[in-house]
């Protein structure tokens, strides 16, 4: 209005205008990690999809097929597939050592594949009368006991929580199986015995029949001895089964 002067504030006199305070910016609420996410962070996983493990899995799948071929007297095909299993058993170990592809699950499924093949063929050959029942009983009893022990050690070594899904998650390393020396010898002798027995119907013996039959019987008694010996070796060998510490599990998982 004319004749009146408005009173300026100190901020206006200094050239600064008062601005209303800004409202704080609200950030989205942090999502709470799920139990599964937290377990994945705490428990190390290792890469199980390696060439040695794939070869070992193929041996597992070949076991029932070889048994089916023997039951139907397809000995040539059975012997060929059995030879494939034996070759891959050598190759997968060499590849794992050569290119540093060893995994904890490999130490478990490798003997598992061997035992699956042995169990199927021992049962089939005993059923067909090509192998004595007493020898089949010794071999199968040992494998059953070792299988029960493997289930037990997997359970006690698995980090909590001990769920069924985590139990069968082989990318969670918890225990390592180290075959004993006599166990390796026994496996080789058992494979030789099975291959010999499966291939016998394909051979024309001529005058060597009795000699080869006697050799087969001798091999059967030798396999019975090494089977009992190798089973007992897991009881008195301290490092046959090793439960991994958290640090060792992380080192295994870091190799993936």
């Amino acid at each position: 209005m004319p004749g009146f002067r408005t009173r300026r504030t100190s901020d206006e006199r200094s050239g600064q205008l008062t601005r209303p305070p800004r409202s704080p910016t609200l950030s989205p609420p942090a999502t709470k990690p799920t139990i599964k996410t937290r377990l994945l962070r705490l428990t190390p996983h290792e890469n199980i999809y390696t060439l040695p493990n794939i070869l070992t899995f193929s041996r597992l799948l070949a076991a029932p097929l070889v048994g089916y071929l023997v039951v139907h007297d397809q000995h040539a095909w059975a012997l060929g597939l059995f030879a494939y299993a034996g070759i891959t058993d050598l190759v997968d170990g060499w590849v794992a050592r050569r290119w540093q592809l060893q995994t904890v699950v490999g130490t478990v499924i490798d003997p598992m594949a061997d035992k699956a093949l042995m169990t199927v063929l021992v049962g089939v050959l005993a059923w067909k009368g090509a192998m004595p029942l007493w020898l089949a009983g010794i071999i199968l009893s040992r494998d059953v006991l070792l299988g029960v022990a493997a289930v037990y050690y997997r359970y006690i070594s698995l980090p909590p929580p001990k769920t069924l899904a985590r139990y069968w998650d082989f990318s969670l390393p918890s225990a390592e199986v180290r075959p004993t020396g006599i166990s390796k010898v026994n496996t080789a002798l058992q494979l030789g015995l099975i291959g010999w027995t499966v291939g016998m119907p394909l051979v024309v013996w001529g005058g060597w029949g009795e000699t080869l039959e006697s050799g087969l019987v001798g091999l059967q008694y030798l396999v019975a001895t090494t089977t009992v010996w190798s089973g007992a070796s897991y009881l008195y060998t301290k490092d046959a089964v090793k439960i991994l510490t958290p640090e060792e599990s992380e080192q295994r998982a870091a190799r993936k």
Side-chain angles (χ1 to χ4, degrees):
M1 295 179 64
F4 291 92
R5 297 178 61 187
T6 58
R7 186 177 181 179
R8 295 184 299 173
T9 63
S10 60
D11 290 338
E12 290 174 332
R13 287 194 300 269
S14 62
Q16 298 180 355
L17 298 178
T18 303
R19 297 179 181 178
R22 296 181 179 179
S23 59
T25 304
L26 297 178
S27 58
T31 58
K32 186 177 181 180
T34 62
I35 295 178
K36 182 178 180 180
T37 304
R38 282 180 287 179
L39 288 176
L40 290 175
R41 293 175 180 173
L42 294 175
T43 307
H45 289 244
E46 67 176 359
N47 179 26
I48 64 175
Y49 301 103
T50 62
L51 179 59
N53 287 347
I54 292 173
L55 292 175
T56 304
F57 276 118
S58 71
R59 295 209 315 275
L60 275 171
L61 297 177
L65 182 56
V66 175
Y68 174 85
L69 293 172
V70 173
V71 168
H72 291 82
D73 296 322
Q74 301 293 324
H75 294 279
W77 286 101
L79 188 61
L81 195 55
F82 180 78
Y84 163 81
I87 293 173
T88 55
D89 191 18
L90 297 175
V91 171
D92 61 5
W94 179 81
V95 171
R97 292 187 298 270
R98 175 66 177 79
W99 282 280
Q100 297 294 316
L101 296 175
Q102 299 98 328
T103 60
V104 173
V105 65
T107 68
V108 176
I109 65 173
D110 184 71
M112 184 186 300
D114 294 336
K115 296 313 168 188
L117 185 64
M118 291 299 302
T119 300
V120 170
L121 286 178
V122 166
V124 169
L125 292 174
W127 176 68
K128 291 180 69 68
M131 177 179 290
L133 291 177
W134 61 267
L135 178 58
I138 292 175
I139 295 175
L140 296 179
S141 298
R142 171 191 176 274
D143 291 344
V144 168
L145 292 176
L146 291 181
V148 172
V151 171
Y152 169 75
Y153 277 107
R154 171 62 173 171
Y155 178 79
I156 65 172
S157 63
L158 184 67
K162 300 181 185 293
T163 63
L164 190 61
R166 285 168 55 79
Y167 183 91
W168 292 108
D169 185 356
F170 291 118
S171 66
L172 294 172
S174 60
E176 186 176 45
V177 180
R178 298 176 179 176
T180 60
I182 184 59
S183 179
K184 296 178 181 179
V185 173
N186 177 66
T187 299
L189 291 175
Q190 286 185 351
L191 291 175
L193 174 63
I194 294 298
W196 190 337
T197 306
V198 172
M200 281 185 64
L202 302 175
V203 180
V204 179
W205 300 113
W208 294 88
E210 293 184 1
T211 302
L212 292 174
E213 285 287 348
S214 299
L216 181 60
V217 172
L219 183 57
Q220 290 173 351
Y221 282 102
L222 178 60
V223 168
T225 303
T226 57
T227 299
V228 175
W229 185 0
S230 64
S233 68
Y234 284 97
L235 299 177
Y236 62 76
T237 304
K238 294 181 180 180
D239 59 348
V241 179
K242 177 180 176 57
I243 297 178
L244 301 179
T245 63
E247 292 77 13
E248 290 171 330
S249 297
E250 291 178 0
Q251 293 176 359
R252 293 284 184 173
R255 296 178 182 178
K256 65 181 180 179

